[in-house]
Amino acid sequence: MAIVYFPAPFLKKTNVSSMTIRPGNLLQCLEQIIEKFPDVASFIFSNSELVPFIKIFINRVDSNKLDGLDTHISNGDELQIVFAVAGG
């Protein structure tokens, strides 16, 4: 199993800060999260695309620098969902 850590805004919807997921590609892993916590879907996807202010790190590497939603997630991997912050 892999583990995914949720950002603080998810806690109101999940009541947990992390969960274990089965290995697969990143899209399949995100679908597992949404299956268990349907209310977080809008935090993750918009029109079948990742929302632009979400970053997903796999073992501390931005998934965009890997294979995006096709990135393979293995047993023991750690995923972190992070809200990108911008300002000026």
Side-chain angles (χ1 to χ4, degrees), residues 10-78:
F10 277 44
L11 297 180
K12 290 181 182 176
K13 306 286 185 185
T14 64
N15 292 316
V16 296
S17 60
S18 65
M19 70 176 274
T20 56
I21 52 175
R22 295 179 307 280
N25 66 34
L26 180 55
L27 178 60
Q28 293 166 333
C29 292
L30 293 173
E31 289 170 344
Q32 290 176 60
I33 295 167
I34 292 168
E35 182 179 313
K36 185 164 183 167
F37 305 110
D39 291 342
V40 302
S42 64
F43 285 128
I44 299 173
F45 290 107
S46 175
N47 298 321
S48 301
E49 302 269 331
L50 277 179
V51 294
F53 52 85
I54 284 284
K55 293 285 186 187
I56 301 174
F57 292 87
I58 302 161
N59 300 321
R60 298 184 180 181
V61 177
D62 187 339
S63 63
N64 292 323
K65 294 185 180 194
L66 300 169
D67 292 324
L69 293 174
D70 293 324
T71 302
H72 181 71
I73 307 302
S74 300
N75 283 320
D77 282 350
E78 293 186 357

